[in-house]
Amino acid sequence: MERKVKNIFIDGRIEPAFIAESISKHSVKTTIGGHSIFMGQVRKDEIEGKLVAAIEYTAYQELALEKMHQIREDIFQKYPLHCMHVYHSLGTIKAGEICLFVFTSSTRRKPAIDACAEIVERLKAELPIWGKEIFEDDTHQWKENS
Amino acid sequence: MERKVKNIFIDGRIEPAFIAESISKHSVKTTIGGHSIFMGQVRKDEIEGKLVAAIEYTAYQELALEKMHQIREDIFQKYPLHCMHVYHSLGTIKAGEICLFVFTSSTRRKPAIDACAEIVERLKAELPIWGKEIFEDDTHQWKENS
Amino acid sequence: MEIQIISFGKISEFIAHQKIEISDIRNTDELKAYLETSFPLLSNMKYKLSLNKDIVQENTAISNQDTVGIMPPFSGG
Amino acid sequence: MEIQIISFGKISEFIAHQKIEISDIRNTDELKAYLETSFPLLSNMKYKLSLNKDIVQENTAISNQDTVGIMPPFSGG
């Protein structure tokens, strides 16, 4: 069993060009028939009259990567995937920018679609990552996943 | 009720750069929190010892666009989406290239994910589109969705 | 009356687009029987008809100048 | 013995990273009670502990030089 723990953290926003590059790399994998992608984007939520300007993400990185490694192994056990890529931003991500990118690929469409959805759920529930919502007036509140 | 029937057909493969551009355009829509994407990629399947080199797609375009319009309306009725984009290739798409791109966005993740999966299912079942699998020796067979 | 026949996918390999003159065919069920006699390969296949811009779900009357599509199972996506 | 305390998210605003000397605390349940007394804000919050590189699921023995993380509910993604 391989014990290579992959890094998932990226400083700052995830660029659409990075996503395109990631998609491009799969054109040589000609047993893939379906790709599923989920992206999280920072919302300009209004909370008690104040607008969210950005979310500042921090993580307990060591623990998060260890946990993500377990999730990865579980998902590969459960679904016949060719590829699985996960990236999460750290630092300040402005409203409208992308902070999460999950990408799965399989021969037929269903495993990619189901695995992608399950990774997003597990990642939100299990990874020690915290988002601090920074309002336009520089006050803040801590986000909580429901 | 708007009666604008959008075109979904693209000549040739769908470029990763086109997908990136489509993602970028959503950064101004700051009520979006989640994006879901499905992409279909042409597989180099082996069928009775021969490898698929490409799929040539044709469609009954008028009918397909009409049907897609109905699917679009059904999906917007059923899910609280901000955006929905669908593109399907026509013509010859080589193994490893992308022939389908479905992109949905919503405030929270679940509607985008569920709608995207449902659009893919309905599109495959209901749109009059045909794929001719062209083998490396230039013979062919017609694909059938299971 | 005259109707336009268009065909797709696998079926386009043995039924060309064509105008046909029909006299005693009034609806899509009758047209199916006619087509399967004229093009025997069709009788062993799964296919659907379209009538103008709709997929035919049940037997439907045909009018002069209608366009009928003959469509094998879909395989988009 | 001495343990290292690290804190995250909202909790990092009132508990700084620190080394603490504990004599009569042997496990994570006892540590929780100690932390909630020392930092009263904590007793009104949902939080989890980590011990070294694991999230604490049940009462676990603590050893000298362990690292304990205090983590509010996650909000990644």
Side-chain angles (χ1 to χ4, degrees), chain C residues 26-54:
Chain C
R26 288 154 304 177
N27 57 49
T28 52
D29 279 357
E30 289 174 7
L31 181 65
K32 273 184 148 173
Y34 168 83
L35 290 169
E36 290 181 21
T37 309
S38 308
F39 307 100
L41 278 172
L42 200 59
S43 52
N44 300 315
M45 291 182 64
K46 286 208 294 187
Y47 68 95
K48 280 183 181 170
L49 295 185
S50 64
L51 183 61
N52 303 321
K53 281 168 84 181
D54 294 305

mmCIF file of all heavy atoms in Angstrom, chain C residues 26-54:
data_model
loop_
_atom_site.group_PDB
_atom_site.id
_atom_site.type_symbol
_atom_site.label_atom_id
_atom_site.label_comp_id
_atom_site.label_asym_id
_atom_site.label_seq_id
_atom_site.Cartn_x
_atom_site.Cartn_y
_atom_site.Cartn_z
ATOM 1 N N ARG C 26 -52.593 7.089 -43.465
ATOM 2 C CA ARG C 26 -53.180 8.245 -42.780
ATOM 3 C C ARG C 26 -52.498 8.609 -41.474
ATOM 4 O O ARG C 26 -52.666 9.690 -40.950
ATOM 5 C CB ARG C 26 -54.665 7.978 -42.513
ATOM 6 C CG ARG C 26 -55.536 8.006 -43.742
ATOM 7 C CD ARG C 26 -56.765 7.158 -43.531
ATOM 8 N NE ARG C 26 -56.383 5.789 -43.165
ATOM 9 C CZ ARG C 26 -57.247 4.814 -42.847
ATOM 10 N NH1 ARG C 26 -58.548 5.064 -42.822
ATOM 11 N NH2 ARG C 26 -56.831 3.607 -42.553
ATOM 12 N N ASN C 27 -51.747 7.653 -40.924
ATOM 13 C CA ASN C 27 -51.155 7.929 -39.607
ATOM 14 C C ASN C 27 -49.802 7.225 -39.452
ATOM 15 O O ASN C 27 -49.377 6.471 -40.329
ATOM 16 C CB ASN C 27 -52.140 7.488 -38.512
ATOM 17 C CG ASN C 27 -52.509 6.025 -38.648
ATOM 18 O OD1 ASN C 27 -51.631 5.171 -38.792
ATOM 19 N ND2 ASN C 27 -53.809 5.722 -38.639
ATOM 20 N N THR C 28 -49.162 7.479 -38.344
ATOM 21 C CA THR C 28 -47.792 6.992 -38.154
ATOM 22 C C THR C 28 -47.724 5.466 -38.026
ATOM 23 O O THR C 28 -46.729 4.875 -38.425
ATOM 24 C CB THR C 28 -47.125 7.670 -36.932
ATOM 25 O OG1 THR C 28 -47.973 7.533 -35.785
ATOM 26 C CG2 THR C 28 -46.866 9.149 -37.200
ATOM 27 N N ASP C 29 -48.751 4.841 -37.454
ATOM 28 C CA ASP C 29 -48.744 3.372 -37.391
ATOM 29 C C ASP C 29 -48.756 2.757 -38.792
ATOM 30 O O ASP C 29 -48.002 1.825 -39.079
ATOM 31 C CB ASP C 29 -49.952 2.843 -36.596
ATOM 32 C CG ASP C 29 -49.729 2.910 -35.095
ATOM 33 O OD1 ASP C 29 -48.604 3.324 -34.687
ATOM 34 O OD2 ASP C 29 -50.658 2.568 -34.327
ATOM 35 N N GLU C 30 -49.598 3.313 -39.630
ATOM 36 C CA GLU C 30 -49.646 2.817 -41.006
ATOM 37 C C GLU C 30 -48.333 3.095 -41.749
ATOM 38 O O GLU C 30 -47.866 2.269 -42.529
ATOM 39 C CB GLU C 30 -50.830 3.453 -41.758
ATOM 40 C CG GLU C 30 -52.169 2.909 -41.250
ATOM 41 C CD GLU C 30 -53.389 3.615 -41.852
ATOM 42 O OE1 GLU C 30 -53.214 4.438 -42.767
ATOM 43 O OE2 GLU C 30 -54.509 3.340 -41.371
ATOM 44 N N LEU C 31 -47.748 4.254 -41.457
ATOM 45 C CA LEU C 31 -46.477 4.584 -42.104
ATOM 46 C C LEU C 31 -45.385 3.604 -41.674
ATOM 47 O O LEU C 31 -44.565 3.171 -42.492
ATOM 48 C CB LEU C 31 -46.060 6.024 -41.769
ATOM 49 C CG LEU C 31 -44.747 6.468 -42.426
ATOM 50 C CD1 LEU C 31 -44.859 6.521 -43.950
ATOM 51 C CD2 LEU C 31 -44.286 7.818 -41.894
ATOM 52 N N LYS C 32 -45.380 3.236 -40.380
ATOM 53 C CA LYS C 32 -44.387 2.274 -39.882
ATOM 54 C C LYS C 32 -44.482 0.956 -40.645
ATOM 55 O O LYS C 32 -43.458 0.403 -41.077
ATOM 56 C CB LYS C 32 -44.629 1.981 -38.394
ATOM 57 C CG LYS C 32 -43.941 2.948 -37.462
ATOM 58 C CD LYS C 32 -44.167 2.517 -36.003
ATOM 59 C CE LYS C 32 -42.985 2.879 -35.151
ATOM 60 N NZ LYS C 32 -43.238 2.640 -33.723
ATOM 61 N N ALA C 33 -45.695 0.463 -40.797
ATOM 62 C CA ALA C 33 -45.891 -0.800 -41.516
ATOM 63 C C ALA C 33 -45.374 -0.668 -42.956
ATOM 64 O O ALA C 33 -44.657 -1.538 -43.447
ATOM 65 C CB ALA C 33 -47.376 -1.167 -41.512
ATOM 66 N N TYR C 34 -45.685 0.463 -43.572
ATOM 67 C CA TYR C 34 -45.220 0.713 -44.940
ATOM 68 C C TYR C 34 -43.696 0.741 -45.015
ATOM 69 O O TYR C 34 -43.077 0.129 -45.887
ATOM 70 C CB TYR C 34 -45.826 2.035 -45.457
ATOM 71 C CG TYR C 34 -45.205 2.522 -46.731
ATOM 72 C CD1 TYR C 34 -45.606 2.030 -47.971
ATOM 73 C CD2 TYR C 34 -44.186 3.490 -46.703
ATOM 74 C CE1 TYR C 34 -45.016 2.475 -49.150
ATOM 75 C CE2 TYR C 34 -43.588 3.944 -47.864
ATOM 76 C CZ TYR C 34 -44.015 3.432 -49.090
ATOM 77 O OH TYR C 34 -43.425 3.874 -50.247
ATOM 78 N N LEU C 35 -43.073 1.451 -44.075
ATOM 79 C CA LEU C 35 -41.610 1.580 -44.089
ATOM 80 C C LEU C 35 -40.942 0.225 -43.868
ATOM 81 O O LEU C 35 -39.950 -0.115 -44.511
ATOM 82 C CB LEU C 35 -41.149 2.569 -42.993
ATOM 83 C CG LEU C 35 -41.483 4.053 -43.227
ATOM 84 C CD1 LEU C 35 -41.213 4.865 -41.961
ATOM 85 C CD2 LEU C 35 -40.683 4.625 -44.408
ATOM 86 N N GLU C 36 -41.502 -0.567 -42.951
ATOM 87 C CA GLU C 36 -40.877 -1.858 -42.647
ATOM 88 C C GLU C 36 -41.001 -2.838 -43.835
ATOM 89 O O GLU C 36 -40.156 -3.712 -43.993
ATOM 90 C CB GLU C 36 -41.469 -2.442 -41.359
ATOM 91 C CG GLU C 36 -41.008 -1.623 -40.141
ATOM 92 C CD GLU C 36 -41.512 -2.131 -38.803
ATOM 93 O OE1 GLU C 36 -41.892 -3.312 -38.696
ATOM 94 O OE2 GLU C 36 -41.529 -1.328 -37.851
ATOM 95 N N THR C 37 -42.047 -2.650 -44.626
ATOM 96 C CA THR C 37 -42.168 -3.467 -45.848
ATOM 97 C C THR C 37 -41.180 -2.983 -46.909
ATOM 98 O O THR C 37 -40.491 -3.776 -47.545
ATOM 99 C CB THR C 37 -43.611 -3.360 -46.409
ATOM 100 O OG1 THR C 37 -44.514 -3.644 -45.354
ATOM 101 C CG2 THR C 37 -43.823 -4.336 -47.563
ATOM 102 N N SER C 38 -41.096 -1.663 -47.053
ATOM 103 C CA SER C 38 -40.205 -1.104 -48.078
ATOM 104 C C SER C 38 -38.737 -1.292 -47.730
ATOM 105 O O SER C 38 -37.889 -1.463 -48.595
ATOM 106 C CB SER C 38 -40.465 0.393 -48.259
ATOM 107 O OG SER C 38 -41.825 0.634 -48.468
ATOM 108 N N PHE C 39 -38.420 -1.208 -46.425
ATOM 109 C CA PHE C 39 -37.028 -1.334 -45.975
ATOM 110 C C PHE C 39 -36.945 -2.428 -44.913
ATOM 111 O O PHE C 39 -36.992 -2.144 -43.712
ATOM 112 C CB PHE C 39 -36.525 -0.003 -45.394
ATOM 113 C CG PHE C 39 -36.722 1.171 -46.310
ATOM 114 C CD1 PHE C 39 -37.795 2.039 -46.132
ATOM 115 C CD2 PHE C 39 -35.846 1.403 -47.373
ATOM 116 C CE1 PHE C 39 -37.978 3.125 -46.972
ATOM 117 C CE2 PHE C 39 -36.035 2.482 -48.224
ATOM 118 C CZ PHE C 39 -37.102 3.351 -48.035
ATOM 119 N N PRO C 40 -36.824 -3.683 -45.363
ATOM 120 C CA PRO C 40 -36.921 -4.811 -44.424
ATOM 121 C C PRO C 40 -35.930 -4.736 -43.243
ATOM 122 O O PRO C 40 -36.241 -5.200 -42.156
ATOM 123 C CB PRO C 40 -36.626 -6.027 -45.305
ATOM 124 C CG PRO C 40 -36.952 -5.587 -46.683
ATOM 125 C CD PRO C 40 -36.635 -4.137 -46.743
ATOM 126 N N LEU C 41 -34.760 -4.128 -43.469
ATOM 127 C CA LEU C 41 -33.787 -4.011 -42.374
ATOM 128 C C LEU C 41 -34.388 -3.303 -41.147
ATOM 129 O O LEU C 41 -34.009 -3.554 -40.009
ATOM 130 C CB LEU C 41 -32.553 -3.204 -42.826
ATOM 131 C CG LEU C 41 -31.467 -3.947 -43.612
ATOM 132 C CD1 LEU C 41 -30.429 -2.955 -44.139
ATOM 133 C CD2 LEU C 41 -30.792 -4.993 -42.723
ATOM 134 N N LEU C 42 -35.310 -2.394 -41.418
ATOM 135 C CA LEU C 42 -35.913 -1.593 -40.351
ATOM 136 C C LEU C 42 -36.720 -2.438 -39.382
ATOM 137 O O LEU C 42 -36.779 -2.135 -38.184
ATOM 138 C CB LEU C 42 -36.820 -0.531 -40.997
ATOM 139 C CG LEU C 42 -37.195 0.695 -40.178
ATOM 140 C CD1 LEU C 42 -35.952 1.468 -39.755
ATOM 141 C CD2 LEU C 42 -38.100 1.621 -41.000
ATOM 142 N N SER C 43 -37.301 -3.520 -39.873
ATOM 143 C CA SER C 43 -38.198 -4.311 -39.019
ATOM 144 C C SER C 43 -37.455 -5.059 -37.913
ATOM 145 O O SER C 43 -38.055 -5.468 -36.927
ATOM 146 C CB SER C 43 -39.038 -5.277 -39.862
ATOM 147 O OG SER C 43 -38.189 -6.017 -40.699
ATOM 148 N N ASN C 44 -36.137 -5.208 -38.069
ATOM 149 C CA ASN C 44 -35.364 -5.861 -37.002
ATOM 150 C C ASN C 44 -34.694 -4.863 -36.063
ATOM 151 O O ASN C 44 -33.854 -5.234 -35.253
ATOM 152 C CB ASN C 44 -34.284 -6.747 -37.630
ATOM 153 C CG ASN C 44 -34.893 -7.808 -38.511
ATOM 154 O OD1 ASN C 44 -35.877 -8.449 -38.129
ATOM 155 N ND2 ASN C 44 -34.342 -7.971 -39.711
ATOM 156 N N MET C 45 -35.027 -3.608 -36.197
ATOM 157 C CA MET C 45 -34.337 -2.591 -35.406
ATOM 158 C C MET C 45 -35.285 -1.878 -34.460
ATOM 159 O O MET C 45 -36.477 -1.787 -34.696
ATOM 160 C CB MET C 45 -33.757 -1.533 -36.355
ATOM 161 C CG MET C 45 -32.616 -2.025 -37.205
ATOM 162 S SD MET C 45 -32.009 -0.662 -38.208
ATOM 163 C CE MET C 45 -31.416 0.448 -36.923
ATOM 164 N N LYS C 46 -34.672 -1.329 -33.405
ATOM 165 C CA LYS C 46 -35.418 -0.387 -32.562
ATOM 166 C C LYS C 46 -35.308 0.989 -33.216
ATOM 167 O O LYS C 46 -34.213 1.409 -33.599
ATOM 168 C CB LYS C 46 -34.819 -0.321 -31.157
ATOM 169 C CG LYS C 46 -35.118 -1.547 -30.323
ATOM 170 C CD LYS C 46 -35.137 -1.218 -28.832
ATOM 171 C CE LYS C 46 -33.752 -0.802 -28.341
ATOM 172 N NZ LYS C 46 -33.716 -0.643 -26.877
ATOM 173 N N TYR C 47 -36.441 1.655 -33.364
ATOM 174 C CA TYR C 47 -36.383 3.022 -33.900
ATOM 175 C C TYR C 47 -37.612 3.787 -33.443
ATOM 176 O O TYR C 47 -38.609 3.207 -33.014
ATOM 177 C CB TYR C 47 -36.280 3.004 -35.438
ATOM 178 C CG TYR C 47 -37.520 2.499 -36.126
ATOM 179 C CD1 TYR C 47 -38.496 3.396 -36.593
ATOM 180 C CD2 TYR C 47 -37.747 1.130 -36.313
ATOM 181 C CE1 TYR C 47 -39.649 2.933 -37.218
ATOM 182 C CE2 TYR C 47 -38.891 0.669 -36.927
ATOM 183 C CZ TYR C 47 -39.841 1.568 -37.384
ATOM 184 O OH TYR C 47 -40.985 1.118 -37.988
ATOM 185 N N LYS C 48 -37.503 5.105 -33.524
ATOM 186 C CA LYS C 48 -38.645 5.974 -33.229
ATOM 187 C C LYS C 48 -38.880 6.871 -34.417
ATOM 188 O O LYS C 48 -37.948 7.183 -35.162
ATOM 189 C CB LYS C 48 -38.333 6.872 -32.019
ATOM 190 C CG LYS C 48 -38.490 6.185 -30.681
ATOM 191 C CD LYS C 48 -38.245 7.165 -29.546
ATOM 192 C CE LYS C 48 -38.384 6.449 -28.212
ATOM 193 N NZ LYS C 48 -37.928 7.302 -27.097
ATOM 194 N N LEU C 49 -40.118 7.314 -34.567
ATOM 195 C CA LEU C 49 -40.415 8.306 -35.598
ATOM 196 C C LEU C 49 -40.548 9.685 -34.963
ATOM 197 O O LEU C 49 -40.955 9.819 -33.810
ATOM 198 C CB LEU C 49 -41.730 7.960 -36.314
ATOM 199 C CG LEU C 49 -41.775 6.660 -37.127
ATOM 200 C CD1 LEU C 49 -43.124 6.552 -37.850
ATOM 201 C CD2 LEU C 49 -40.628 6.594 -38.138
ATOM 202 N N SER C 50 -40.205 10.683 -35.742
ATOM 203 C CA SER C 50 -40.580 12.051 -35.365
ATOM 204 C C SER C 50 -41.553 12.544 -36.426
ATOM 205 O O SER C 50 -41.503 12.110 -37.585
ATOM 206 C CB SER C 50 -39.352 12.957 -35.307
ATOM 207 O OG SER C 50 -38.773 13.068 -36.587
ATOM 208 N N LEU C 51 -42.447 13.418 -35.997
ATOM 209 C CA LEU C 51 -43.380 14.020 -36.948
ATOM 210 C C LEU C 51 -43.215 15.534 -36.814
ATOM 211 O O LEU C 51 -43.485 16.099 -35.742
ATOM 212 C CB LEU C 51 -44.818 13.584 -36.638
ATOM 213 C CG LEU C 51 -45.899 14.085 -37.602
ATOM 214 C CD1 LEU C 51 -45.659 13.583 -39.025
ATOM 215 C CD2 LEU C 51 -47.287 13.656 -37.116
ATOM 216 N N ASN C 52 -42.686 16.138 -37.870
ATOM 217 C CA ASN C 52 -42.314 17.554 -37.832
ATOM 218 C C ASN C 52 -41.365 17.786 -36.655
ATOM 219 O O ASN C 52 -40.292 17.207 -36.641
ATOM 220 C CB ASN C 52 -43.553 18.439 -37.834
ATOM 221 C CG ASN C 52 -44.418 18.124 -39.066
ATOM 222 O OD1 ASN C 52 -43.886 17.894 -40.146
ATOM 223 N ND2 ASN C 52 -45.720 18.037 -38.884
ATOM 224 N N LYS C 53 -41.721 18.570 -35.652
ATOM 225 C CA LYS C 53 -40.743 18.804 -34.601
ATOM 226 C C LYS C 53 -41.032 18.059 -33.301
ATOM 227 O O LYS C 53 -40.559 18.437 -32.224
ATOM 228 C CB LYS C 53 -40.563 20.308 -34.351
ATOM 229 C CG LYS C 53 -39.649 20.931 -35.423
ATOM 230 C CD LYS C 53 -39.658 22.433 -35.395
ATOM 231 C CE LYS C 53 -38.708 23.010 -34.374
ATOM 232 N NZ LYS C 53 -38.749 24.479 -34.363
ATOM 233 N N ASP C 54 -41.813 16.967 -33.382
ATOM 234 C CA ASP C 54 -42.103 16.181 -32.178
ATOM 235 C C ASP C 54 -41.716 14.727 -32.354
ATOM 236 O O ASP C 54 -41.850 14.171 -33.450
ATOM 237 C CB ASP C 54 -43.608 16.246 -31.849
ATOM 238 C CG ASP C 54 -44.028 17.633 -31.455
ATOM 239 O OD1 ASP C 54 -43.410 18.182 -30.516
ATOM 240 O OD2 ASP C 54 -44.946 18.183 -32.098
#
